[in-house]
Amino acid sequence: MKFFSRRQNVRDAGEGQPCGGFAEWLLRQFAGGRPMASMPYGEVERICANAGSLLVGAVHARPADFEGVLAVGLPDIDREAALLSRRTADGFRASLADRKNTVMAWPWDHMATKVAWDATRQEDTSEAALGAALLSLGSVYAMRHREQVAAVLSLWTQVAAGVSAASASPPDLSRMGAEMLAAYEASRAA
């Protein structure tokens, strides 16, 4: 008999927190009303990466709102956050070493692969399960590796500004994440 499962622990991570359902809400926004449980893996992973980028931006902009996630103390999350940080650093080093033949992999891409893969193996790719896992890993990563996140967000802003040079205001994931968190809070208050 199995009393506790890893999936149950991850789901409990955001319960009772002001931002507890934020990642799930982000996933629903990117899914456009379609249930993620019926999507192919590649689409689930892409949506998780999009939501993860805004989650990391929101945590970076408003860390105090996510401190409750750290207090939950899930045993594997700190280790996963450290692994995510190491993969990000290794990917950036590889990009600098071979600028012609390397594709940039952002931390939210690594996070999305981990979350989507685990959810697929557990046969639960619902927004609730994916959102809880994203919230746990993304919050812990963004808070424990804040210096790396600041450097990544700065680089992302430079790359995005180069791609969208015609835009009036340069893209900023911290600002966009904070705006989405405010929209989530407004939707909960309504």
Side-chain angles (χ1 to χ4, degrees):
M1 184 180 329
K2 192 173 189 181
F3 291 106
F4 299 101
S5 71
R6 183 171 182 206
R7 183 173 40 204
Q8 177 184 359
N9 289 341
V10 171
R11 279 199 179 137
D12 294 343
E15 287 182 16
Q17 303 303 322
C19 59
F22 178 54
E24 180 180 348
W25 181 84
L26 283 172
L27 291 168
R28 291 183 193 283
Q29 303 310 304
F30 283 109
R34 296 177 304 133
M36 291 184 69
S38 64
M39 293 179 184
Y41 176 83
E43 193 170 3
V44 169
E45 186 180 30
R46 180 185 53 78
I47 289 171
C48 285
N50 290 340
S53 68
L54 291 175
L55 173 66
V56 168
V59 175
H60 188 262
R62 293 176 44 187
D65 293 324
F66 295 88
E67 286 177 350
V69 177
L70 293 177
V72 173
L74 298 174
D76 295 334
I77 297 299
D78 277 329
R79 190 171 347 134
E80 286 298 327
L83 182 59
L84 177 59
S85 175
R86 192 168 45 247
R87 283 183 181 143
T88 299
D90 290 347
F92 278 42
R93 270 192 291 276
S95 295
L96 290 171
D98 186 3
R99 294 176 189 223
K100 292 182 182 177
N101 299 308
T102 311
V103 175
M104 186 75 65
W106 303 102
W108 38 87
D109 295 329
H110 297 300
M111 186 170 48
T113 300
K114 167 72 174 149
V115 167
W117 178 251
D118 285 350
T120 301
R121 285 190 359 219
Q122 294 171 357
E123 298 179 1
D124 187 0
T125 56
S126 67
E127 292 85 354
L130 291 164
L134 269 177
L135 178 67
S136 295
L137 182 54
S139 298
V140 172
Y141 164 70
M143 293 178 77
R144 298 260 196 261
H145 303 278
R146 192 158 173 80
E147 286 182 26
Q148 183 184 65
V149 169
V152 166
L153 292 176
S154 175
L155 180 60
W156 184 90
T157 298
Q158 292 172 32
V159 170
V163 170
S164 61
S167 111
S169 65
D172 178 345
L173 274 179
S174 291
R175 179 183 43 80
M176 294 181 334
E179 288 171 357
M180 291 302 281
L181 182 56
Y184 165 70
E185 291 167 337
S187 74
R188 283 185 53 191

